[in-house]
Amino acid sequence: MKKLFILSYFLLLSSFVISQNRSLKGKVIDQATQQPLEGAIVSVNEQFHTITNALGEFKLKNLPEKNIEVKVSHVGFKTITQKNITTQSLSILLESAPVQLDEVTIQPQSAHYQQIINNIDIKLRPINNSQEILRMVPGLFIGQHAGGGKAEQIFLRGFDLDHGTDIRLSVDGMPVNMVSHAHGQGYADLHFVIPELVEKVNFKKGPYYADKGNFTTAGWVDFKTKDVLDKNIIKIEAGQFNTYRTLGAFNLINTQANKGKESAYIASEYNYSDSYFDSPQHFKRLNVVSKYNSQLNTNNRLTLTASTFWSKWNHSGQIPDRAVDSGLISFYGAIDDTEGGETSRTNFNAELVSKTPNGNMLKNQVFYSNYNFTLFSNFTFFKEDPINGDQIKQHENRNLMGYNGSYSFGQTDFGHTTVGINYRQDFINNLELSRTKNRTEITDSLKLGKVNEQNIGFYLDHNFQFSSYFSMNIGLRYDIFNNTYNNSLQDSSQYTLKANASILSPKLNLYYTPNSSWQVYLNTGKGFHSNDTRVVVATQGKEILPAAYGSDLGVIFKPLPKLFVNVAAWYLWLNQEFVYVGDEAVVEPSGKTRRMGIDVSLRYQINQWLYADADLNLTKPRAIDVDQLQAFLPLAPTTTTTGGLSFQTSKGWNGSLRYRYMADRPANEDNSIVAKGYFVTDLQLNYTKTKYNIGLSIQNLANTKWKETQFATESQLKNEASPVNEIHFTAGTPFFGKLALTYMF
């Protein structure tokens, strides 16, 4: 009897295994563009889940033999359900549709990679200007303080990130941050991106991803541009302060006719503005972008992108409070109105995504940029040179090239593994810092040299799926830097310095997802930012890759079908680091720092056409191992919040009313000088039909007088006997209205 029971048990078990051995594969395609959809959630019988890859493909194993129901969803697309599937391969077309938050689900099998909030935001708040590109990241603030042509100053998670020192930015996988830049380490100028071409904004906060290397401490942002245009567009904008913009974007291949096998487009924009300052900026920017995609065959997809960008401007710089308070200049005035700059960048980017015969994924990407930069600034006026003034020139010519490669093994019983390599080489010529007068006359050469900087990184990333609700991600990254600096102010044969360094960065991330409505996660990891080559060689490569150790404990949940909430408590500790001050050509050491905080994000669909969102960020940034009265981190934000209402009606009306608030924050180490906070609102209103769109945008709807960027600076005016240390600021935008007319065909 016992033997009969055991035999029956194994027969029953084997029949169950046999009934669960079916597999299903398929491809998800955007119906409008005929392009593959990455990140679509595929569910079978609400029990088996996966997410589509870069080719829009998916595969599920160990499915029941019968009664298969497949559900496919993606934010901004109509969810589709197919029942009684009998085939082993599917091709699914998804149709664009208004965002429905009750259909947004949390995917347990791809918890580490899934992007939710950013997919919601970019569908509800299309990017209409270059400033909004970075503001898509919850809690990220930007400030422009040099006339619109200089890269924005960035604030996130208790960091004054300068222009990108502790945040990694990329566009289609190509790096934006510039190492050993003439103005500052990590300088990230995104103005070569045309806003209307941005399709996705992927981001994560913290140093928790193995494939993200240099500058990934506060977080990373990757902008994905469109592979094909929904429609051809011609756009004209005109606004206050003699502001104009034209845009043309045209498909060169009919993607519907060739069913998405090949696509190409070209786009160009031109901007001009005198801006709202007393001294006209004469700001000019030209962008040209061309992109080509080809489905070479079933298993290979090629993407080629070429772009060029040029900008030139004047600016009023930062002005001291005392000059405004005394009536010497207005709130929008200037002490030295000969400041300004010129910059350009030409890019070539090629990516080949291949599926191997055994179903694995191979990605190969090569990129090249030619970059030029010249900036004239005056921060201290007549403190250093009472006769000629303190204007400085920062200049460089750069060739940047690199490679990104990865190999992803298909899903197995042990999880999913990716190995990869990142390579980058920067050749920088004429890296210059000089004192000048009226831009034309060089009065003193402070620094002039050449930099050759190489970074190669290797990483391993593995996702364990222990059950349908618990997963773990582990990652390991190893980076090597080789730095060479040639001082052109001396005999180069006698003054060439070299140094190298390396760093190992482990990651560990845990996810508990009991159902599609909530998830608890713990992210931990080590990241770093490199330092300027001029610092590296001066210290012989010692302590020049300061480590950052971070952790996030968070929860994502949907307490109501149309309410999405993300709450995270986080901690970030930074090691000793050296900072190269590009404005003064000095090395300034800083000690250990600690930041901790809470991030809260809410997304709520009030009804079919009205949506609300809010982000609240509370941070306590402090220096460690110093007197607590001297432990404040200058300009580090402590309380910020953004949010607003967005609407999309079936009658063609759409738009948003948004706010952003940054509280007062210390401007120096003892908090004796305070950078004042601000509250600003913006309005966007559009009337959209099939062939045209009429839009009105208003920045600073309430016409608030506010300071966009602020610094505690010691400066001396022309007739002053001694320097004064106080707030120097750039005025924020007053009420600024702009009309736009777009023709689509």
Side-chain angles (χ1 to χ4, degrees), residues 232-236 246-250 741-745:
N232 301 322
I233 59 174
I234 298 174
K235 187 174 186 179
I236 300 174
T246 60
L247 166 69
F250 310 97
L741 176 62
T742 307
Y743 174 62
M744 300 168 285
F745 59 98

Side-chain angles (χ1 to χ4, degrees), residues 306-321:
S307 67
T308 190
F309 148 80
W310 170 84
S311 186
K312 187 175 183 179
W313 69 98
N314 300 324
H315 67 84
S316 301
Q318 293 92 248
I319 57 176
D321 276 344

